[in-house]
Amino acid sequence: MARHEGRGMASVNYPIGMTLGGDPSQALVHSNPDGKFTVALSAIDLGQGMKQVSRQIAAETLGVPIEDVYVDTADSDTGPHDMGSFASRGTHRMGNAVIAAAREARGVLMEAAAEELEVNAADLVTDGRGNIHVRGAPSRTITVKATAQAAQFKQGRTIAGRGIFLIPLSAVDAETGEMNPNTDFAHACLVADVTVDDETGEVTVLRMTSAYELGRVINPRMVEQQLVGGAWMGISHALYETPEPYYPNPEHGPRDFNEYLMPGPGDIAPYHVTVLERPAPDGPFGGKGPGEMCANPVLPAIANAIYNAVGVRVDELPITPEKILRGIRANGGVRPKPRRGGPVNWR
């Protein structure tokens, strides 16, 4: 019995959002009488942090504290239209719609403040702490709360804004059919180090190291958590999870998560991530978002690492010990491949 070490790499270019059709997202922003703002969306937060990112984008655009912004995703029947929370589109598409809505609402807010301060709206600035000042004369000020109350109870204004974001439809080359259906791509490269037991076929992921280019990172801690969680999910898909051989008939299959095979805490590998920021020209404050690509490079990287370790190429997931042992037997034994590079410094 021997354990063989292997290293595998995979790189990903991942399109942000849907292709064609404009991929629209809409947002509504309005102020309450107490100067707090509500952002209404129909996109749903699936745990990817969309609500928090939308709050940050709205607060930055409005010029108010983030704690004064509430995001409501309660009902797609009554909320503004959105294509959905998929295709890694949330930050890019919805973020742009929120900016457009918040800009319109901010314009009304500044007009209401200008009427109260008897100045031109173009001469006003916000401080991000709930106040509106006359540029160059900080003593002349009014709170956002007082402005909202004056607008709604004195001036008869509705401090609100509407926003929509669309992707321009691509032209089509009449001769070749060539087109450009997407405006943004995120990129990643991941290296996985594993050991493979040639007697049991068991795979142990020792460590993973990656670099992700995601545009501007709007919330660094949330991006880090999403990348790490997605990579661990990738390990699960690569080595553990499957509904087969029962799918689509669930009889005799796993009935709950006590029986469905998934990695436990001891199976989770150390993971080091480097995030590269290259702001997207059409992204909200340059952001794109990681989305589904968190897990994507993990699967081929582990498959390549297993091939590097024992010379067995498995092209059906999950890569089970049985498949590895059958491959070793078919090859007439372990046939490790040359390994490039020294130890990866993941600490």
Side-chain angles (χ1 to χ4, degrees):
M1 181 186 95
R3 290 181 177 271
H4 306 269
E5 290 195 14
R7 172 172 294 166
M9 184 273 286
S11 58
V12 174
N13 299 320
Y14 194 83
I16 301 298
M18 298 170 59
T19 54
L20 302 179
D23 197 16
S25 282
Q26 298 181 15
L28 301 175
V29 175
H30 73 271
S31 169
N32 302 316
D34 60 357
K36 311 293 184 182
F37 287 83
T38 298
V39 180
L41 310 174
S42 290
I44 302 302
D45 196 322
L46 305 174
Q48 78 274 39
M50 191 199 65
K51 276 191 173 183
Q52 176 62 22
V53 169
S54 297
R55 286 184 75 199
Q56 290 180 242
I57 291 172
E60 181 71 19
T61 306
L62 290 164
V64 302
I66 191 170
E67 57 267 25
D68 289 351
V69 177
Y70 171 76
V71 177
D72 180 17
T73 60
D75 194 334
S76 58
D77 283 337
T78 58
H81 174 72
D82 186 77
M83 293 300 292
S85 296
F86 54 88
S88 304
R89 63 186 298 283
T91 295
H92 188 273
R93 307 299 199 255
M94 184 52 65
N96 276 315
V98 169
I99 286 177
R103 282 176 177 166
E104 186 172 292
R106 176 184 168 89
V108 181
L109 175 70
M110 302 304 268
E111 290 174 0
E115 185 170 326
E116 294 303 300
L117 294 172
E118 299 181 340
V119 296
N120 192 305
D123 295 328
L124 296 178
V125 294
T126 51
D127 63 4
R129 297 189 299 271
N131 302 300
I132 302 171
H133 303 277
V134 176
R135 186 182 285 107
S139 61
R140 297 193 64 190
T141 183
I142 185 172
T143 66
V144 172
K145 179 179 180 178
T147 303
Q149 291 175 342
Q152 297 188 52
F153 297 112
K154 177 181 173 184
Q155 301 174 13
R157 297 177 187 266
T158 299
I159 300 178
R162 304 154 298 171
I164 183 170
F165 181 73
L166 284 171
I167 297 296
L169 297 179
S170 171
V172 181
D173 189 300
E175 295 184 4
T176 65
E178 182 180 358
M179 57 197 311
N180 182 25
N182 206 287
T183 61
D184 272 312
F185 288 82
H187 309 88
C189 181
L190 185 140
V191 175
D193 287 286
V194 307
T195 62
V196 181
D197 190 311
D198 63 13
E199 183 177 19
T200 66
E202 180 183 7
V203 177
T204 301
V205 182
L206 300 176
R207 67 186 65 88
M208 295 184 295
T209 309
S210 72
Y212 276 81
E213 186 279 301
L214 304 169
R216 185 177 182 184
V217 178
I218 295 175
N219 191 308
R221 182 54 59 90
M222 287 179 61
V223 166
E224 178 185 353
Q225 292 171 345
Q226 191 170 3
L227 290 172
V228 172
W232 290 346
M233 184 177 73
I235 292 177
S236 189
H237 290 332
L239 301 174
Y240 296 89
E241 294 186 58
T242 179
E244 297 177 351
Y246 313 104
Y247 181 83
N249 185 350
E251 292 180 12
H252 308 296
R255 294 165 295 182
D256 53 37
F257 286 114
N258 290 322
E259 297 178 351
Y260 186 74
L261 187 61
M262 298 176 69
D267 303 307
I268 299 303
Y271 184 36
H272 177 75
V273 183
T274 298
V275 177
L276 309 175
E277 290 193 274
R278 295 179 180 176
D282 66 343
F285 299 106
K288 290 187 283 191
E292 292 147 305
M293 70 178 298
C294 301
N296 289 353
V298 179
L299 286 70
I302 289 178
N304 288 338
I306 292 169
Y307 177 73
N308 182 243
V310 294
V312 173
R313 175 65 72 189
V314 182
D315 58 7
E316 292 183 356
L317 298 176
I319 305 174
T320 62
E322 293 83 359
K323 293 175 182 176
I324 293 173
L325 292 177
R326 290 191 191 105
I328 292 175
R329 208 168 284 124
N331 287 344
V334 172
R335 299 182 182 276
K337 304 303 175 183
R339 180 174 176 179
R340 297 179 180 178
V344 175
N345 182 16
W346 54 272
R347 296 183 179 178

